[in-house]
Amino acid sequence: MRTAVAVVVCLICALPALYCQDIDIGSTLAPSFRDIALLPTRLTAYNQHEDAALASYTCCKVRQEKQIRDAIKANEAFLNRFSDTAFADRTYIHYARVASFLPDAYRNQEWAARTLVETYPDSDLSDDAAWILGNLYRSGGEHLSAIDAYEYIVDSWPESTWADDALNALVEEYTYVERPADALDALNQLARNYPKSSFCAKGLDGIARGYM
């Protein structure tokens, strides 16, 4: 009997973890810190600050603009009070990712990602922030700044999951700004260091198309 009860309890405890991502937490829970702290999630770092914790769970779908802006404000409040804590870098990256859901938040994203890279260069999220920066600058036509961000990933984080992506982006950006020697060097580095990357062929094709 005890075994059966234990199995049922385990199943009940496991169910929230399976379905949490698809639930609009903001509409199903009262803003209780105690309740939020018990939710199974990778964002438990935000439980250090109730507003940031709540905002983390109410985001993010594009239609939830109010919750998204509330999340941005909550993260700003967290940084104003706890910028010297071990969770500050995670707050910056969360800020940058949440801001991406808003059409007018380019500079908010840029500020958060750039601050993380500059202030916490040893953080294991620094490469993620640099990748966000590079893509932001690229989409905004700031190609030289994008190159700087991608080069930072390649030089400082060669083991990053974004390293081969960054080299491929460098091949394309160098080609765009008419630096063919640098483009070829990035392609050689991509083929040499990441021979199994799907970007090897894409990088070569990018150079070829740039001069057609």
Side-chain angles (χ1 to χ4, degrees):
M1 181 65 179
R2 290 181 179 177
T3 302
V5 171
V7 170
V8 171
V9 171
C10 288
L11 287 174
I12 291 174
C13 291
L15 284 175
L18 293 175
Y19 295 104
C20 184
Q21 288 185 334
D22 298 324
I23 295 176
D24 182 352
I25 301 295
S27 64
T28 59
L29 290 178
S32 165
F33 174 71
R34 182 175 59 184
D35 291 338
I36 293 169
L38 296 176
L39 288 173
T41 174
R42 290 181 300 172
L43 294 175
T44 51
Y46 297 107
N47 292 333
Q48 295 296 312
H49 187 272
E50 182 168 356
D51 290 337
L54 178 60
S56 296
Y57 299 119
T58 56
C59 276
C60 280
K61 303 182 179 93
V62 174
R63 70 176 185 275
Q64 294 179 302
E65 181 172 348
K66 180 182 182 302
Q67 289 91 335
I68 293 169
R69 294 193 184 279
D70 285 345
I72 290 174
K73 290 179 182 178
N75 279 279
E76 289 173 346
F78 182 97
L79 292 169
N80 286 337
R81 291 184 60 187
F82 304 112
S83 61
D84 58 346
T85 70
F87 303 124
D89 58 339
R90 285 165 173 75
T91 306
Y92 278 113
I93 200 72
H94 182 256
Y95 184 108
R97 288 171 176 164
V98 169
S100 69
F101 288 88
L102 297 176
D104 59 344
Y106 175 95
R107 287 303 170 190
N108 285 356
Q109 279 187 278
E110 192 271 343
W111 167 79
R114 176 171 46 78
T115 301
L116 197 164
V117 170
E118 293 176 352
T119 310
Y120 308 95
D122 296 327
S123 167
D124 59 1
L125 296 172
S126 185
D127 57 326
D128 295 274
W131 179 247
I132 291 173
L133 269 182
N135 293 338
L136 277 174
Y137 291 141
R138 193 177 190 183
S139 65
E142 301 176 58
H143 297 282
L144 296 181
S145 294
I147 287 173
D148 288 341
Y150 295 136
E151 286 179 340
Y152 170 79
I153 297 174
V154 173
D155 295 339
S156 302
W157 297 90
E159 301 302 321
S160 168
T161 187
W162 303 115
D164 60 332
D165 300 73
L167 279 168
N168 177 65
L170 282 172
V171 170
E172 296 174 351
E173 289 299 289
Y174 286 141
T175 301
Y176 184 87
V177 298
E178 299 182 356
R179 290 165 56 178
D182 289 330
L184 286 172
D185 182 64
L187 180 58
N188 285 332
Q189 192 173 347
L190 177 61
R192 182 174 63 252
N193 296 343
Y194 310 96
K196 296 182 180 180
S197 172
S198 61
F199 292 115
C200 289
K202 185 178 179 182
L204 182 60
D205 181 66
I207 290 179
R209 288 179 180 274
Y211 293 96
M212 287 178 64

PDB file of all heavy atoms in Angstrom, residues 3-31:
ATOM      1  N   THR A   3       3.879   1.561  -1.065  1.00  0.00           N
ATOM      2  CA  THR A   3       4.546   1.681  -2.372  1.00  0.00           C
ATOM      3  C   THR A   3       3.625   2.344  -3.377  1.00  0.00           C
ATOM      4  O   THR A   3       4.037   3.211  -4.161  1.00  0.00           O
ATOM      5  CB  THR A   3       4.969   0.296  -2.888  1.00  0.00           C
ATOM      6  OG1 THR A   3       5.837  -0.297  -1.933  1.00  0.00           O
ATOM      7  CG2 THR A   3       5.663   0.429  -4.234  1.00  0.00           C
ATOM      8  N   ALA A   4       2.364   1.930  -3.381  1.00  0.00           N
ATOM      9  CA  ALA A   4       1.401   2.495  -4.323  1.00  0.00           C
ATOM     10  C   ALA A   4       1.207   3.976  -4.077  1.00  0.00           C
ATOM     11  O   ALA A   4       1.149   4.790  -5.003  1.00  0.00           O
ATOM     12  CB  ALA A   4       0.063   1.755  -4.204  1.00  0.00           C
ATOM     13  N   VAL A   5       1.101   4.358  -2.800  1.00  0.00           N
ATOM     14  CA  VAL A   5       0.940   5.777  -2.459  1.00  0.00           C
ATOM     15  C   VAL A   5       2.160   6.576  -2.899  1.00  0.00           C
ATOM     16  O   VAL A   5       2.053   7.672  -3.444  1.00  0.00           O
ATOM     17  CB  VAL A   5       0.721   5.932  -0.938  1.00  0.00           C
ATOM     18  CG1 VAL A   5       0.770   7.415  -0.554  1.00  0.00           C
ATOM     19  CG2 VAL A   5      -0.611   5.324  -0.525  1.00  0.00           C
ATOM     20  N   ALA A   6       3.347   6.021  -2.686  1.00  0.00           N
ATOM     21  CA  ALA A   6       4.585   6.715  -3.074  1.00  0.00           C
ATOM     22  C   ALA A   6       4.636   6.938  -4.569  1.00  0.00           C
ATOM     23  O   ALA A   6       5.059   7.991  -5.045  1.00  0.00           O
ATOM     24  CB  ALA A   6       5.795   5.899  -2.611  1.00  0.00           C
ATOM     25  N   VAL A   7       4.216   5.942  -5.363  1.00  0.00           N
ATOM     26  CA  VAL A   7       4.210   6.067  -6.821  1.00  0.00           C
ATOM     27  C   VAL A   7       3.266   7.170  -7.264  1.00  0.00           C
ATOM     28  O   VAL A   7       3.576   7.992  -8.119  1.00  0.00           O
ATOM     29  CB  VAL A   7       3.822   4.728  -7.477  1.00  0.00           C
ATOM     30  CG1 VAL A   7       3.577   4.937  -8.966  1.00  0.00           C
ATOM     31  CG2 VAL A   7       4.908   3.693  -7.241  1.00  0.00           C
ATOM     32  N   VAL A   8       2.078   7.223  -6.646  1.00  0.00           N
ATOM     33  CA  VAL A   8       1.092   8.249  -6.993  1.00  0.00           C
ATOM     34  C   VAL A   8       1.632   9.633  -6.669  1.00  0.00           C
ATOM     35  O   VAL A   8       1.521  10.567  -7.455  1.00  0.00           O
ATOM     36  CB  VAL A   8      -0.237   7.996  -6.228  1.00  0.00           C
ATOM     37  CG1 VAL A   8      -1.177   9.196  -6.421  1.00  0.00           C
ATOM     38  CG2 VAL A   8      -0.892   6.732  -6.723  1.00  0.00           C
ATOM     39  N   VAL A   9       2.272   9.780  -5.492  1.00  0.00           N
ATOM     40  CA  VAL A   9       2.840  11.073  -5.101  1.00  0.00           C
ATOM     41  C   VAL A   9       3.925  11.508  -6.072  1.00  0.00           C
ATOM     42  O   VAL A   9       4.000  12.666  -6.472  1.00  0.00           O
ATOM     43  CB  VAL A   9       3.414  10.991  -3.665  1.00  0.00           C
ATOM     44  CG1 VAL A   9       4.210  12.252  -3.340  1.00  0.00           C
ATOM     45  CG2 VAL A   9       2.290  10.815  -2.657  1.00  0.00           C
ATOM     46  N   CYS A  10       4.778  10.578  -6.482  1.00  0.00           N
ATOM     47  CA  CYS A  10       5.845  10.899  -7.442  1.00  0.00           C
ATOM     48  C   CYS A  10       5.262  11.370  -8.761  1.00  0.00           C
ATOM     49  O   CYS A  10       5.753  12.316  -9.373  1.00  0.00           O
ATOM     50  CB  CYS A  10       6.736   9.684  -7.670  1.00  0.00           C
ATOM     51  SG  CYS A  10       7.803   9.322  -6.262  1.00  0.00           S
ATOM     52  N   LEU A  11       4.210  10.702  -9.222  1.00  0.00           N
ATOM     53  CA  LEU A  11       3.579  11.083 -10.491  1.00  0.00           C
ATOM     54  C   LEU A  11       2.977  12.471 -10.389  1.00  0.00           C
ATOM     55  O   LEU A  11       3.104  13.295 -11.297  1.00  0.00           O
ATOM     56  CB  LEU A  11       2.498  10.059 -10.867  1.00  0.00           C
ATOM     57  CG  LEU A  11       3.003   8.698 -11.349  1.00  0.00           C
ATOM     58  CD1 LEU A  11       1.830   7.742 -11.531  1.00  0.00           C
ATOM     59  CD2 LEU A  11       3.783   8.847 -12.660  1.00  0.00           C
ATOM     60  N   ILE A  12       2.328  12.765  -9.270  1.00  0.00           N
ATOM     61  CA  ILE A  12       1.719  14.074  -9.080  1.00  0.00           C
ATOM     62  C   ILE A  12       2.790  15.163  -9.070  1.00  0.00           C
ATOM     63  O   ILE A  12       2.638  16.227  -9.649  1.00  0.00           O
ATOM     64  CB  ILE A  12       0.907  14.104  -7.769  1.00  0.00           C
ATOM     65  CG1 ILE A  12      -0.336  13.206  -7.911  1.00  0.00           C
ATOM     66  CG2 ILE A  12       0.485  15.538  -7.417  1.00  0.00           C
ATOM     67  CD1 ILE A  12      -1.118  13.049  -6.623  1.00  0.00           C
ATOM     68  N   CYS A  13       3.911  14.891  -8.408  1.00  0.00           N
ATOM     69  CA  CYS A  13       5.002  15.877  -8.339  1.00  0.00           C
ATOM     70  C   CYS A  13       5.659  16.085  -9.691  1.00  0.00           C
ATOM     71  O   CYS A  13       6.174  17.157  -9.989  1.00  0.00           O
ATOM     72  CB  CYS A  13       6.061  15.427  -7.335  1.00  0.00           C
ATOM     73  SG  CYS A  13       5.476  15.485  -5.628  1.00  0.00           S
ATOM     74  N   ALA A  14       5.668  15.057 -10.513  1.00  0.00           N
ATOM     75  CA  ALA A  14       6.342  15.146 -11.811  1.00  0.00           C
ATOM     76  C   ALA A  14       5.510  15.882 -12.842  1.00  0.00           C
ATOM     77  O   ALA A  14       6.043  16.484 -13.765  1.00  0.00           O
ATOM     78  CB  ALA A  14       6.681  13.748 -12.328  1.00  0.00           C
ATOM     79  N   LEU A  15       4.181  15.846 -12.705  1.00  0.00           N
ATOM     80  CA  LEU A  15       3.321  16.435 -13.718  1.00  0.00           C
ATOM     81  C   LEU A  15       3.572  17.913 -13.962  1.00  0.00           C
ATOM     82  O   LEU A  15       3.618  18.347 -15.109  1.00  0.00           O
ATOM     83  CB  LEU A  15       1.847  16.205 -13.337  1.00  0.00           C
ATOM     84  CG  LEU A  15       1.327  14.782 -13.584  1.00  0.00           C
ATOM     85  CD1 LEU A  15      -0.090  14.658 -13.045  1.00  0.00           C
ATOM     86  CD2 LEU A  15       1.377  14.440 -15.059  1.00  0.00           C
ATOM     87  N   PRO A  16       3.765  18.761 -12.920  1.00  0.00           N
ATOM     88  CA  PRO A  16       4.025  20.174 -13.191  1.00  0.00           C
ATOM     89  C   PRO A  16       5.257  20.389 -14.038  1.00  0.00           C
ATOM     90  O   PRO A  16       5.301  21.286 -14.865  1.00  0.00           O
ATOM     91  CB  PRO A  16       4.199  20.772 -11.781  1.00  0.00           C
ATOM     92  CG  PRO A  16       3.455  19.847 -10.892  1.00  0.00           C
ATOM     93  CD  PRO A  16       3.649  18.487 -11.484  1.00  0.00           C
ATOM     94  N   ALA A  17       6.285  19.579 -13.853  1.00  0.00           N
ATOM     95  CA  ALA A  17       7.518  19.746 -14.636  1.00  0.00           C
ATOM     96  C   ALA A  17       7.277  19.453 -16.095  1.00  0.00           C
ATOM     97  O   ALA A  17       7.895  20.038 -16.975  1.00  0.00           O
ATOM     98  CB  ALA A  17       8.597  18.808 -14.079  1.00  0.00           C
ATOM     99  N   LEU A  18       6.345  18.537 -16.374  1.00  0.00           N
ATOM    100  CA  LEU A  18       6.074  18.164 -17.760  1.00  0.00           C
ATOM    101  C   LEU A  18       5.263  19.229 -18.484  1.00  0.00           C
ATOM    102  O   LEU A  18       5.424  19.448 -19.681  1.00  0.00           O
ATOM    103  CB  LEU A  18       5.317  16.827 -17.808  1.00  0.00           C
ATOM    104  CG  LEU A  18       6.097  15.592 -17.331  1.00  0.00           C
ATOM    105  CD1 LEU A  18       5.178  14.383 -17.313  1.00  0.00           C
ATOM    106  CD2 LEU A  18       7.286  15.339 -18.240  1.00  0.00           C
ATOM    107  N   TYR A  19       4.381  19.897 -17.759  1.00  0.00           N
ATOM    108  CA  TYR A  19       3.448  20.796 -18.417  1.00  0.00           C
ATOM    109  C   TYR A  19       3.666  22.269 -18.111  1.00  0.00           C
ATOM    110  O   TYR A  19       2.990  23.121 -18.667  1.00  0.00           O
ATOM    111  CB  TYR A  19       2.012  20.419 -18.000  1.00  0.00           C
ATOM    112  CG  TYR A  19       1.611  19.047 -18.491  1.00  0.00           C
ATOM    113  CD1 TYR A  19       1.575  17.968 -17.604  1.00  0.00           C
ATOM    114  CD2 TYR A  19       1.322  18.839 -19.819  1.00  0.00           C
ATOM    115  CE1 TYR A  19       1.226  16.704 -18.052  1.00  0.00           C
ATOM    116  CE2 TYR A  19       0.970  17.572 -20.268  1.00  0.00           C
ATOM    117  CZ  TYR A  19       0.919  16.508 -19.386  1.00  0.00           C
ATOM    118  OH  TYR A  19       0.582  15.273 -19.838  1.00  0.00           O
ATOM    119  N   CYS A  20       4.637  22.587 -17.274  1.00  0.00           N
ATOM    120  CA  CYS A  20       4.831  23.961 -16.819  1.00  0.00           C
ATOM    121  C   CYS A  20       5.071  24.933 -17.978  1.00  0.00           C
ATOM    122  O   CYS A  20       4.588  26.042 -17.963  1.00  0.00           O
ATOM    123  CB  CYS A  20       6.004  24.020 -15.848  1.00  0.00           C
ATOM    124  SG  CYS A  20       6.273  25.655 -15.126  1.00  0.00           S
ATOM    125  N   GLN A  21       5.798  24.501 -19.004  1.00  0.00           N
ATOM    126  CA  GLN A  21       6.154  25.404 -20.092  1.00  0.00           C
ATOM    127  C   GLN A  21       4.940  25.885 -20.873  1.00  0.00           C
ATOM    128  O   GLN A  21       4.956  26.941 -21.474  1.00  0.00           O
ATOM    129  CB  GLN A  21       7.122  24.707 -21.055  1.00  0.00           C
ATOM    130  CG  GLN A  21       8.507  24.531 -20.455  1.00  0.00           C
ATOM    131  CD  GLN A  21       9.460  23.948 -21.466  1.00  0.00           C
ATOM    132  OE1 GLN A  21       9.042  23.257 -22.396  1.00  0.00           O
ATOM    133  NE2 GLN A  21      10.733  24.220 -21.308  1.00  0.00           N
ATOM    134  N   ASP A  22       3.866  25.120 -20.897  1.00  0.00           N
ATOM    135  CA  ASP A  22       2.711  25.469 -21.699  1.00  0.00           C
ATOM    136  C   ASP A  22       1.634  26.201 -20.913  1.00  0.00           C
ATOM    137  O   ASP A  22       0.574  26.502 -21.442  1.00  0.00           O
ATOM    138  CB  ASP A  22       2.101  24.198 -22.317  1.00  0.00           C
ATOM    139  CG  ASP A  22       3.080  23.512 -23.252  1.00  0.00           C
ATOM    140  OD1 ASP A  22       3.826  24.244 -23.925  1.00  0.00           O
ATOM    141  OD2 ASP A  22       3.098  22.282 -23.297  1.00  0.00           O
ATOM    142  N   ILE A  23       1.859  26.471 -19.641  1.00  0.00           N
ATOM    143  CA  ILE A  23       0.848  27.099 -18.809  1.00  0.00           C
ATOM    144  C   ILE A  23       1.150  28.579 -18.674  1.00  0.00           C
ATOM    145  O   ILE A  23       2.285  28.976 -18.460  1.00  0.00           O
ATOM    146  CB  ILE A  23       0.810  26.441 -17.407  1.00  0.00           C
ATOM    147  CG1 ILE A  23       0.356  24.985 -17.532  1.00  0.00           C
ATOM    148  CG2 ILE A  23      -0.130  27.201 -16.483  1.00  0.00           C
ATOM    149  CD1 ILE A  23       0.382  24.233 -16.215  1.00  0.00           C
ATOM    150  N   ASP A  24       0.128  29.405 -18.814  1.00  0.00           N
ATOM    151  CA  ASP A  24       0.279  30.828 -18.558  1.00  0.00           C
ATOM    152  C   ASP A  24       0.219  31.018 -17.051  1.00  0.00           C
ATOM    153  O   ASP A  24      -0.845  31.163 -16.461  1.00  0.00           O
ATOM    154  CB  ASP A  24      -0.848  31.599 -19.254  1.00  0.00           C
ATOM    155  CG  ASP A  24      -0.718  33.100 -19.060  1.00  0.00           C
ATOM    156  OD1 ASP A  24       0.154  33.511 -18.271  1.00  0.00           O
ATOM    157  OD2 ASP A  24      -1.475  33.840 -19.695  1.00  0.00           O
ATOM    158  N   ILE A  25       1.387  30.988 -16.415  1.00  0.00           N
ATOM    159  CA  ILE A  25       1.454  31.005 -14.962  1.00  0.00           C
ATOM    160  C   ILE A  25       0.777  32.240 -14.386  1.00  0.00           C
ATOM    161  O   ILE A  25       0.137  32.196 -13.347  1.00  0.00           O
ATOM    162  CB  ILE A  25       2.927  30.959 -14.489  1.00  0.00           C
ATOM    163  CG1 ILE A  25       3.608  29.697 -15.022  1.00  0.00           C
ATOM    164  CG2 ILE A  25       3.024  31.012 -12.978  1.00  0.00           C
ATOM    165  CD1 ILE A  25       3.036  28.421 -14.486  1.00  0.00           C
ATOM    166  N   GLY A  26       0.908  33.352 -15.110  1.00  0.00           N
ATOM    167  CA  GLY A  26       0.359  34.593 -14.596  1.00  0.00           C
ATOM    168  C   GLY A  26      -1.140  34.539 -14.381  1.00  0.00           C
ATOM    169  O   GLY A  26      -1.674  35.261 -13.546  1.00  0.00           O
ATOM    170  N   SER A  27      -1.860  33.716 -15.138  1.00  0.00           N
ATOM    171  CA  SER A  27      -3.305  33.676 -15.012  1.00  0.00           C
ATOM    172  C   SER A  27      -3.778  32.561 -14.105  1.00  0.00           C
ATOM    173  O   SER A  27      -4.964  32.439 -13.854  1.00  0.00           O
ATOM    174  CB  SER A  27      -3.931  33.497 -16.404  1.00  0.00           C
ATOM    175  OG  SER A  27      -3.540  32.247 -16.950  1.00  0.00           O
ATOM    176  N   THR A  28      -2.865  31.723 -13.622  1.00  0.00           N
ATOM    177  CA  THR A  28      -3.283  30.579 -12.823  1.00  0.00           C
ATOM    178  C   THR A  28      -2.824  30.648 -11.374  1.00  0.00           C
ATOM    179  O   THR A  28      -3.278  29.883 -10.550  1.00  0.00           O
ATOM    180  CB  THR A  28      -2.736  29.273 -13.433  1.00  0.00           C
ATOM    181  OG1 THR A  28      -1.312  29.348 -13.482  1.00  0.00           O
ATOM    182  CG2 THR A  28      -3.288  29.052 -14.819  1.00  0.00           C
ATOM    183  N   LEU A  29      -1.911  31.578 -11.061  1.00  0.00           N
ATOM    184  CA  LEU A  29      -1.405  31.665  -9.693  1.00  0.00           C
ATOM    185  C   LEU A  29      -1.524  33.081  -9.153  1.00  0.00           C
ATOM    186  O   LEU A  29      -1.364  34.051  -9.891  1.00  0.00           O
ATOM    187  CB  LEU A  29       0.065  31.250  -9.627  1.00  0.00           C
ATOM    188  CG  LEU A  29       0.394  29.776  -9.840  1.00  0.00           C
ATOM    189  CD1 LEU A  29       1.900  29.590  -9.774  1.00  0.00           C
ATOM    190  CD2 LEU A  29      -0.272  28.908  -8.785  1.00  0.00           C
ATOM    191  N   ALA A  30      -1.794  33.185  -7.885  1.00  0.00           N
ATOM    192  CA  ALA A  30      -1.690  34.478  -7.222  1.00  0.00           C
ATOM    193  C   ALA A  30      -0.206  34.806  -7.077  1.00  0.00           C
ATOM    194  O   ALA A  30       0.628  33.906  -7.033  1.00  0.00           O
ATOM    195  CB  ALA A  30      -2.353  34.408  -5.848  1.00  0.00           C
ATOM    196  N   PRO A  31       0.145  36.103  -7.023  1.00  0.00           N
ATOM    197  CA  PRO A  31       1.565  36.473  -6.931  1.00  0.00           C
ATOM    198  C   PRO A  31       2.149  36.171  -5.561  1.00  0.00           C
ATOM    199  O   PRO A  31       2.471  37.065  -4.784  1.00  0.00           O
ATOM    200  CB  PRO A  31       1.544  37.972  -7.230  1.00  0.00           C
ATOM    201  CG  PRO A  31       0.203  38.413  -6.774  1.00  0.00           C
ATOM    202  CD  PRO A  31      -0.713  37.281  -7.107  1.00  0.00           C
TER     203      PRO A  31
END
